[in-house]
Amino acid sequence: MDPLSDVIALLRPSTAISKPISGRGAWAVRYAAHDAPGFTIILRGECWIAFDGEPPLKLETGAFLLLPTTPAFTLSSHPGMAGTPRDPMDVPVRHGEQEGEADFEALGGTFCIETANAPLLLALLPRMIHVPPPEGRSVRLGRLINLIAEECRGNEPGKDMILQRMLEVLLIEALRSHGTTMDEDRAGLLHGMRDPALARVLAAMHADVRADWTVASLARIAGQSRSAFAARFGAVLSCGPIEYLARWRMALAKDALLRGTKTLDRIADDIGYESASAFSTAFRKRLGCPPGQFARINGSSDHA
């Protein structure tokens, strides 16, 4: 698989909560920070979202916003309004005037992801992914948003299951969409995959994680000098290429340990270590505990 598919496969995203959000008139609500990835799809109308210390962002009909980890924010009908504190709920929410037809409708919620690898893998993503109303190369994603909006308006059998699957596909489509607006000052995997030279390198490492990669061999794939490649990789991915490879190997190891279907010898061989002993030493150095203890603490069987 390609690097993005690899990351998503390890995160194993599923829709934890999805709920209709509507409003009428003037309103503003304030939500505290929470770790779960949050999303919002604007089905009709517009709203403003504001994060502490940043200018508010306008979200219009057809927009999709994904926050890999959700900071405190204010959602409002107009910019600059102070929000009333609210707790997240898994039931439909109506803001502002409670009577009359809503002039704003959205679908919001959270994604559930595999917790063991969440800190590392989410660090590879931008702080915020904003897909504006569909145009150009985002048309495909726009069609998916329209299908979700249509499903929300109906009440056909299987509605909840279809919405869940559509939202999971939407997450993947948003991550790979070239119409996505990302914070450019945040390094991460998505930025790396948009750099042709680095994309070749990332694809090579993910395709053969067992290989004895060096900065020099990866630089040749990038078509750059060793120093230029190392500098570019570090600036875009926020770590060196060999460090990225080591982190990815550990992410694969943690996933295998949680599944509990492979021996330590097999895991070590799969990710490029010469022996189970060498793998265990590297694992303990990075995570502070041996693989077996990690598996037990995190609920895996003792098979590994």
Side-chain angles (χ1 to χ4, degrees):
M1 293 190 293
D2 63 272
L4 179 58
S5 296
D6 284 342
V7 169
I8 293 170
L10 244 62
L11 284 175
R12 292 195 283 276
S14 61
T15 309
I17 299 173
S18 64
K19 63 179 184 296
I21 303 169
S22 60
R24 178 181 172 87
W27 54 269
V29 290
R30 171 79 173 176
Y31 290 97
H34 57 280
D35 290 335
F39 69 89
T40 301
I41 304 171
I42 308 304
L43 303 177
R44 185 164 68 94
E46 62 184 44
C47 71
W48 295 78
I49 188 167
F51 304 100
D52 293 345
E54 299 182 20
L57 173 66
K58 186 178 184 180
L59 301 176
E60 301 176 280
T61 302
F64 173 71
L65 183 71
L66 172 67
L67 302 169
T69 182
T70 308
F73 67 92
T74 298
L75 195 68
S76 62
S77 58
H78 299 82
M81 297 179 66
T84 302
R86 295 286 296 268
D87 293 323
M89 297 185 293
D90 58 358
V91 296
V93 177
R94 168 80 177 230
H95 299 307
E97 300 172 15
Q98 298 299 299
E99 301 296 330
E101 181 181 1
D103 52 31
F104 165 77
E105 293 179 354
L107 185 68
T110 59
F111 287 106
C112 179
I113 57 175
E114 174 56 59
T115 57
N117 276 318
L120 166 63
L121 299 180
L122 290 179
L124 299 176
L125 300 177
R127 179 183 56 84
M128 178 182 74
I129 296 173
H130 173 219
V131 181
E135 57 185 36
R137 297 186 69 171
S138 298
V139 169
R140 175 184 166 98
L141 191 141
R143 291 200 300 268
L144 183 55
I145 290 175
N146 289 337
L147 285 172
I148 291 173
E150 181 181 326
E151 193 66 31
C152 287
R153 289 191 293 267
N155 196 27
E156 297 294 325
K159 174 181 177 178
D160 290 343
M161 182 173 291
I162 289 176
L163 275 176
Q164 181 178 18
R165 298 295 181 265
M166 283 184 174
L167 287 168
E168 290 163 13
V169 173
L170 179 66
L171 169 62
I172 299 170
E173 187 67 30
L175 291 177
R176 72 180 188 176
S177 172
H178 286 262
T180 298
T181 299
M182 298 185 294
D183 46 321
E184 294 300 325
D185 60 344
R186 172 70 178 268
L189 180 63
L190 294 187
H191 285 306
M193 292 181 65
R194 292 184 179 184
D195 182 306
L198 296 186
R200 292 194 299 272
V201 170
L202 290 165
M205 283 196 287
H206 279 254
D208 190 2
V209 71
R210 299 175 70 251
D212 186 19
W213 295 109
T214 64
V215 175
S217 63
L218 293 171
R220 284 193 293 272
I221 294 174
Q224 300 172 345
S225 69
R226 187 180 182 278
S227 58
F229 163 68
R232 179 62 178 165
F233 194 102
V236 175
L237 274 296
S238 195
C239 67
I242 303 307
E243 173 63 18
Y244 176 90
L245 178 62
R247 292 180 186 180
W248 180 245
R249 284 172 169 168
M250 287 300 138
L252 293 174
K254 287 191 286 183
D255 185 65
L257 289 167
L258 291 174
R259 292 176 184 272
T261 58
K262 295 181 180 180
T263 64
L264 287 184
D265 284 321
R266 176 64 185 277
I267 295 173
D269 183 64
D270 283 350
I271 63 175
Y273 285 90
E274 294 181 354
S275 65
S277 175
F279 161 63
S280 295
T281 299
F283 191 94
R284 182 194 292 268
K285 183 177 180 179
R286 284 188 170 270
L287 280 86
C289 67
Q293 182 180 345
F294 172 86
R296 289 190 296 272
I297 291 174
N298 289 276
S300 176
S301 69
D302 294 331
H303 180 73

